Amino acid sequence: MTLQFELLQGEAQSARLGRLHTPHGSVQTPAFMPVATRGMMRGIFPQQLRPMGVEMALCNSFHLYARPGVEVVQKLGGVHGMLAWDGPILTDSGGFQVFSLGALNQVHKDGVEVEHPIYGGKINWTPKLAFETQAGLAPDVAMLLDICPDKPLDQKICADAVQRTVEWARIQRDLHDQRGGASSGQAQFAIVQGGVFGDLREQCAKQLVEMEFDGYAIGGVSVGEGHEAMMKGVEHSCPYLPLQQARYLMGVGTPQDLVEGVARGIDMFDCVFPARAGRFGTALTDQGRLHLLNAKFKDDARPIDPECDCEGCLSKVPRGALRAGFKSKELLPPILVSLHNLHYIQKLMQRMRTAIADGSFAQLRMNILRSYLPARLAELERNA
Ligand SMILES: [Zn+2]
């Protein structure tokens, strides 16, 4: 079976409901994919994912290439075997990770020279190698290797990134066709670059859409440019993407960015943020972020979030005990708070889907912004 996106409700630049059909089952959108960068969630059991509402997971092809290597992953049953997860999986091409390793100045015409993250020495990470690695790992969706600049406000850097991203997209599209295209059982998503520049986003999106990919991502966001610039990147990209195909905003996962992305027509997200924040003692709730290491939680006997029915909160471990545990580097607090955060984000996606269906999305968006981004709420209220 090939990948199909079914748009159930919504338009190009407003909140939409959909369903992504993959060889490993369907995903209700808007959806959030938790990240198993190296083929494993940190502290979360695979069987805990479905009960919290996860329908699709993400892992990183560059890291799996580095360890344990494609051949080993294949012997373990591909990425599905590695993650012990039988639902849909998307693999990132490693573009973001490669560039976050500071490799932007190591880019050459055919790829990017990057240090092997484990053994040292150089890897020449090319579009062909990213493609072949993902063909071997066998996810449901493979991302193209693109150029992800860490300076989305620099026009020259973004223009160069767009040009190379499009050139590399052509190479990977041809490789996909040679492998049988959709009949290979793997879908291919392209990534729109262009930073905060409308003309570059438009140019990049149009050139990629001409090549007819299975879905489109908006990349080069969430690299420190701030919420507003990130949303500009989204607004400059969405109008040029096909209405009936999935749009995926890469590396985005705070409550405020999720509701604002959904409000602009995004269907899919991934981010390490919820789990990482949990590991460092920050819990996400409808009242905003709770920094559990704060002294005010020292003798707080309540669970992480008394409103929540996740395993972390149902365990009834008190906030004060978690605080003490974090301080003494116990294993359990980071696990319980990560679990809570992933559960919170999945429930938020579910609440957004319900709200889009029953017409109350605007209200839910306001409620989340009130706790997470009051400045944006004030702006919306001024314009209302
Ligand atoms: Zn909870």
Side-chain angles (χ1 to χ4, degrees), residues 152-155 158-159 162 192-207 229-240:
L153 305 175
D154 185 315
Q155 188 153 14
C158 289
V162 164
V192 179
Q193 290 290 347
V196 300
F197 303 99
D199 53 339
L200 292 178
R201 289 271 174 193
E202 177 182 352
Q203 178 198 334
C204 190
K206 284 181 172 170
Q207 287 179 295
M230 179 199 298
M231 291 303 149
K232 279 235 160 13
V234 174
E235 288 166 11
H236 289 320
S237 307
C238 279
Y240 310 104

